[in-house]
Amino acid sequence: GVYLLIRFNMMLVDMLFLKFLLLLSGLTMFMAGISANYEFDLKKIIALSTLSQLGLMMSILSMGLSDLAFFHLLTHAMFKALLFMCAGVIIHMMNDIQDIRYMGGISMYIPLTSLCLNISNLALCGIPFLAGFYSKDLILEMVSMSNLNLMIFFLYYISTGLTMYYTIRMLMYLMINDFNLMSIYKLYDEDYVMLKSMFLLLFMSLIVGSFLMWMIFNYPYMIYLPINMKMMVLYVSFIGLLMGFMISNMQIYSLNKFFKTYNLSN
């Protein structure tokens, strides 16, 4: 659907529908980021983060920047395919358990899969000079230069912070916890058949941001912003990292402060 709208973007120019589409896709981005923070299913977290990125693509498309939407589609394809492959290996290793509360200490047993998972997660967060940084940072800077209202601006930036948030939460549950449920661990070795394609995707999700930025833009975007608004993406990412780290650091059995807002979120 996103690709179809990118192809037909000349027909959609200056329609009233695009204003509704901007609102709806911004809300999609925000709500998917919120719901991914409350999920305990590994595939569901990754699927909701995909939904959040699709909201980002549709909203930048409805602002009329279809080449940026295509750029983000391609860079997002690389690391999200890698992320789903790593999740599939982990679920298969856990004997088809998808609940992240059962996992933990994965990096001791399948280090190369965890490496791929972590790097693709960081590329999703928009860590500088990985693939996701180029597209997401360019999109958010074009949003900052546009003359849209403050609600759209805050939807974009809070959704970027939430991306960091659920990524750090997933990383804490998978890597840093001790392993739970030892009795039914069917600890396989690394899946060396899948690692071949995973390393190719890992290489692509490192270089494809700068490579595609060089390939598909005829002229560079002129971005003229004050220093605080240039650094705003890194600010919200750091705040999301801090929040995700502090909230995941509470033990699982403690009364989690996070669930006090669960009814509000529902």
Side-chain angles (χ1 to χ4, degrees):
V2 176
Y3 182 66
L4 203 63
L5 284 180
I6 289 170
R7 293 284 288 188
F8 283 111
N9 67 322
M10 286 303 168
M11 294 170 61
L12 300 173
V13 72
D14 213 16
M15 282 176 64
L16 180 68
F17 170 66
L18 287 187
K19 296 176 179 60
F20 290 110
L21 185 68
L22 178 62
L23 182 65
L24 286 178
S25 49
L27 284 175
T28 302
M29 183 167 56
F30 182 60
M31 287 160 63
I34 293 254
S35 340
N37 281 315
Y38 289 105
E39 284 297 336
F40 284 116
D41 189 336
L42 184 62
K43 284 198 295 191
K44 218 174 265 190
I45 291 174
I46 302 177
L48 280 167
S49 82
T50 309
L51 185 60
S52 173
Q53 304 299 311
L54 284 177
L56 182 64
M57 291 171 213
M58 292 297 287
S59 53
I60 197 67
L61 182 65
S62 61
M63 287 169 58
L65 298 164
S66 60
D67 48 353
L68 279 183
F70 187 56
F71 180 38
H72 190 63
L73 183 74
L74 289 184
T75 52
H76 176 251
M78 295 298 159
F79 51 77
K80 195 48 73 75
L82 179 59
L83 202 54
F84 269 118
M85 285 179 76
C86 295
V89 171
I90 288 172
I91 289 171
H92 184 59
M93 190 205 80
M94 290 288 297
N95 204 2
D96 299 340
I97 287 181
Q98 296 181 18
D99 201 327
I100 60 171
R101 289 171 291 190
Y102 288 147
M103 302 173 190
I106 297 281
S107 51
M108 300 295 174
Y109 297 106
I110 37 172
L112 294 174
T113 308
S114 303
L115 172 88
C116 293
L117 180 85
N118 283 333
I119 292 185
S120 56
N121 252 335
L122 292 177
L124 168 68
C125 288
I127 298 292
F129 312 117
L130 290 176
F133 170 72
Y134 287 94
S135 55
K136 187 177 281 194
D137 194 71
L138 194 54
I139 285 174
L140 285 170
E141 280 169 356
M142 294 307 285
V143 171
S144 304
M145 281 183 66
S146 68
N147 51 359
L148 289 170
N149 53 9
L150 205 56
M151 192 194 79
I152 302 290
F153 183 79
F154 274 121
L155 275 182
Y156 271 103
Y157 276 104
I158 290 173
S159 307
T160 308
L162 285 174
T163 304
M164 195 68 166
Y165 201 152
Y166 54 73
T167 300
I168 294 297
R169 174 175 175 264
M170 193 169 97
L171 190 143
M172 296 278 289
Y173 268 103
L174 289 182
M175 308 288 162
I176 297 179
N177 277 347
D178 287 335
F179 50 89
N180 312 314
L181 213 68
M182 178 66 183
S183 54
I184 65 165
Y185 243 64
K186 262 178 82 174
L187 281 172
Y188 295 114
D189 216 11
E190 295 270 6
D191 194 346
Y192 290 107
V193 182
M194 285 188 74
L195 271 179
K196 294 184 179 65
S197 48
M198 274 159 64
F199 276 141
L200 180 67
L201 277 174
L202 178 70
F203 182 63
M204 290 302 285
S205 65
L206 288 175
I207 65 161
V208 82
S210 48
F211 182 70
L212 280 178
M213 187 176 259
W214 173 57
M215 288 286 286
I216 67 180
F217 291 133
N218 306 324
Y219 54 92
Y221 276 98
M222 170 68 192
I223 292 173
Y224 185 71
L225 288 173
I227 182 68
N228 270 334
M229 285 183 75
K230 281 287 280 189
M231 303 296 285
M232 189 76 180
V233 187
L234 299 180
Y235 289 161
V236 290
S237 294
F238 184 67
I239 289 173
L241 185 143
L242 213 60
M243 294 277 293
F245 183 72
M246 287 193 301
I247 282 185
S248 303
N249 244 350
M250 295 188 235
Q251 277 79 24
I252 292 179
Y253 299 113
S254 73
L255 178 67
N256 206 334
K257 308 294 186 298
F258 203 29
F259 286 112
K260 289 195 195 312
T261 60
Y262 187 66
N263 281 329
L264 173 69
S265 165
N266 268 342

